[in-house]
């Protein structure tokens, strides 16, 4: 399967600070999805990136897919306590299978 | 949440006993998946199904079997539970149009003592 590394594993920010998580692959990806999992919850789909160099925004969240389609990032501007959770990247394979990265856990304090 | 339920939600069992987890969906999705989630490992695919009686292995399938006799139900069986199978188990479906994103059930927390 397609292996991806996510960094950092954990980040603690103060509310209002920005946050970025990175997803890196040694192989070219056809597309990549991002999910968020709140503490005690289940993963929830955020977005899919397909095109080289693609940038998509959802309010304070900005998602990027690298030009070589080997890396992706999620940037959150001005974090809020509602952003707390673990963010996973997941390349898509055959039969719509996903290979999840190990995730980045975000903690936001006031 | 794509009408996905999992049962039981919590279970404690002893080593060596068989355990079956059930995933039920109400929207006739073709693809269904079982994952386990452990600290430091993210979510790992155990088995998946692409139709009734059509299943295949994922990356961590040893010690697990699955069955899908109806579109709406996907069963995960631990034939003889071991402590290493203590985990949170998530079922998911994939929509088969657009982005093919997955929707997850609420999870089952399984403890093997």
């Amino acid at each position: 399967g397609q292996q991806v590394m996510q960094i950092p594993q954990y980040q603690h920010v103060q509310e209002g600070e920005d946050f970025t998580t990175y997803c890196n692959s040694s192989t070219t990806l056809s597309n990549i999805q991002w999910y968020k999992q709140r503490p005690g919850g289940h993963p929830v789909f955020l977005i899919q990136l397909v095109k080289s160099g693609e940038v998509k925004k959802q309010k304070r969240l900005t998602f990027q897919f690298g030009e070589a389609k080997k890396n992706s990032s999620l940037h959150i501007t001005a974090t809020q306590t509602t952003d707390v959770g673990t963010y996973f990247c997941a390349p898509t394979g055959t039969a719509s299978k996903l290979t999840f990265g190990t995730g980045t856990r975000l903690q936001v304090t006031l | 949440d794509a009408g996905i339920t999992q049962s039981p939600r919590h279970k404690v069992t002893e080593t060596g006993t068989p355990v079956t987890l059930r995933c039920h969906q109400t929207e006739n999705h073709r693809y269904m998946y079982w994952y386990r989630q452990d600290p430091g490992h993210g979510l790992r695919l155990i088995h998946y199904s692409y139709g009734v009686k059509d299943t295949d292995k994922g990356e961590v399938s040893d010690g697990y079997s699955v069955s899908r006799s109806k579109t709406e139900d996907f069963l995960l069986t631990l034939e003889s539970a071991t402590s290493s199978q203590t985990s949170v188990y998530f079922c998911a479906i994939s929509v088969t149009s657009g982005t093919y994103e997955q929707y997850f059930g609420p999870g089952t927390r399984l403890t093997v003592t």
Side-chain angles (χ1 to χ4, degrees):
Chain A
Q2 297 166 316
Q3 302 291 327
V4 288
M5 291 272 299
Q6 266 188 269
I7 53 172
Q9 290 187 358
Y10 171 76
Q11 188 152 8
H12 184 183
V13 300
Q14 291 204 317
E15 190 176 47
E17 293 181 336
D18 291 356
F19 160 78
T20 304
T21 174
Y22 300 91
C23 183
N24 300 307
S25 171
S26 59
T27 60
T28 302
L29 305 173
S30 56
N31 57 54
I32 194 163
Q33 297 184 0
W34 284 90
Y35 290 77
K36 175 184 179 182
Q37 184 177 23
R38 289 199 163 97
H42 57 274
V44 174
F45 174 77
L46 294 176
I47 208 158
Q48 175 169 279
L49 304 172
V50 178
K51 299 176 183 177
S52 168
E54 188 169 18
V55 177
K56 288 188 176 180
K57 294 189 177 185
Q58 290 180 349
K59 298 182 181 179
R60 295 178 294 103
L61 277 61
T62 302
F63 302 84
Q64 292 189 323
F65 204 5
E67 293 290 341
K69 300 183 73 174
K70 288 186 175 182
N71 55 72
S72 182
S73 66
L74 159 59
H75 179 83
I76 302 178
T77 303
T79 55
Q80 299 175 358
T81 55
T82 54
D83 296 323
V84 165
T86 302
Y87 293 85
F88 294 97
C89 64
T92 304
T94 57
S96 301
K97 290 183 295 181
L98 298 175
T99 302
F100 281 83
T102 50
T104 296
R105 185 161 69 93
L106 173 64
Q107 180 63 35
V108 181
T109 52
L110 296 172
Chain B
D1 288 343
I4 304 168
T5 57
Q6 292 185 232
S7 58
R9 294 293 314 279
H10 301 271
K11 186 170 183 66
V12 180
T13 192
E14 293 184 349
T15 297
T17 60
V19 176
T20 295
L21 308 183
R22 180 182 183 236
C23 178
H24 180 77
Q25 55 130 337
T26 59
E27 299 183 2
N28 291 319
H29 294 288
R30 178 183 172 194
Y31 290 98
M32 298 185 75
Y33 310 84
W34 275 107
Y35 295 90
R36 61 177 290 173
Q37 185 171 35
D38 306 290
H41 289 279
L43 290 105
R44 292 179 292 175
L45 182 65
I46 305 171
H47 281 279
Y48 66 100
S49 170
Y50 43 95
V52 173
K53 298 185 179 178
D54 291 324
T55 65
D56 207 347
K57 296 179 180 180
E59 63 176 300
V60 290
S61 60
D62 286 349
Y64 301 94
S65 63
V66 290
S67 66
R68 193 167 178 201
S69 58
K70 298 185 291 184
T71 299
E72 58 266 35
D73 290 324
F74 192 30
L75 304 180
L76 176 71
T77 298
L78 291 65
E79 303 290 347
S80 177
T82 68
S83 58
S84 64
Q85 293 176 310
T86 292
S87 187
V88 178
Y89 292 85
F90 287 100
C91 171
I93 62 91
S94 174
V95 299
T96 51
S97 62
T99 57
Y100 294 84
E101 70 262 29
Q102 292 190 11
Y103 291 90
F104 287 77
T108 294
R109 183 172 295 276
L110 176 68
T111 302
V112 184
T113 61

